[in-house]
Amino acid sequence: MKILRNGEVDTILAPASYFTGTVFQNPIVTAPDPARVNAASVTFTPGARTNWHTHPLGQTLHVVSGSGWFQTEGEPRIDIHAGDSIWIPPGEKHWHGATDSMMMTHIAIHERDPEAGHITWLEPVDEADYLARR
Ligand code: MN
């Protein structure tokens, strides 16, 4: 077994190439082959969100604090809150993040496809789409 103690893994500032606003990532697990699971705690400051993206093998989000927004392409934006769990099927284009006025932290869990990786990044969510209720 391998244990990573609190403080042994640095918090990462999420890259501006894939996120809008200030987002912090704390890795939880990056399992070595043949395991494929990857999980991270991700904290979005108000107004911050992912780019649009897809997951080749899907993703589970579990909100641990605050309130955020989630949207699948072509569907209304929805509110997500601490305690909610969201399953995103493989290939579904979506984004997730904080609301414009509150922080949100979720645990993101996804498996790595040997060829496609675990995330396919797309374009930023523009401000009008982020703020739109539909
Ligand atoms: Mn996602």
Side-chain angles (χ1 to χ4, degrees):
M1 65 82 81
K2 178 182 179 184
I3 182 165
L4 288 169
R5 299 290 189 183
N6 185 12
E8 289 183 39
V9 182
D10 290 345
T11 296
I12 298 163
L13 181 62
S17 44
Y18 300 138
F19 294 83
T20 297
T22 302
V23 179
F24 297 103
Q25 297 173 308
N26 285 306
I28 295 172
V29 61
T30 304
D33 289 335
R36 296 180 173 189
V37 71
N38 179 289
S41 175
V42 187
T43 296
F44 298 84
T45 60
R49 66 271 190 181
T50 67
N51 279 16
W52 289 100
H53 62 282
T54 62
H55 302 282
L57 297 178
Q59 180 180 54
T60 295
L61 301 176
H62 181 72
V63 183
V64 293
S65 70
S67 293
W69 289 337
F70 174 93
Q71 187 174 24
T72 289
E73 186 179 46
E75 297 182 13
R77 189 191 73 201
I78 64 167
D79 297 333
I80 57 176
H81 304 288
D84 293 347
S85 297
I86 303 116
W87 163 246
I88 301 121
E92 184 172 298
K93 184 176 175 181
H94 68 286
W95 62 267
H96 29 107
T99 71
D100 59 347
S101 62
M102 286 198 65
M103 306 262 287
M104 188 272 285
T105 297
H106 65 43
I107 307 293
I109 306 159
H110 36 254
E111 291 178 289
R112 176 175 39 79
D113 180 88
E115 281 89 46
H118 54 85
I119 303 179
T120 301
W121 289 108
L122 302 167
E123 70 278 12
V125 180
D126 70 40
E127 197 71 8
D129 287 344
Y130 173 69
L131 293 172
R133 288 189 170 276
R134 297 192 71 77

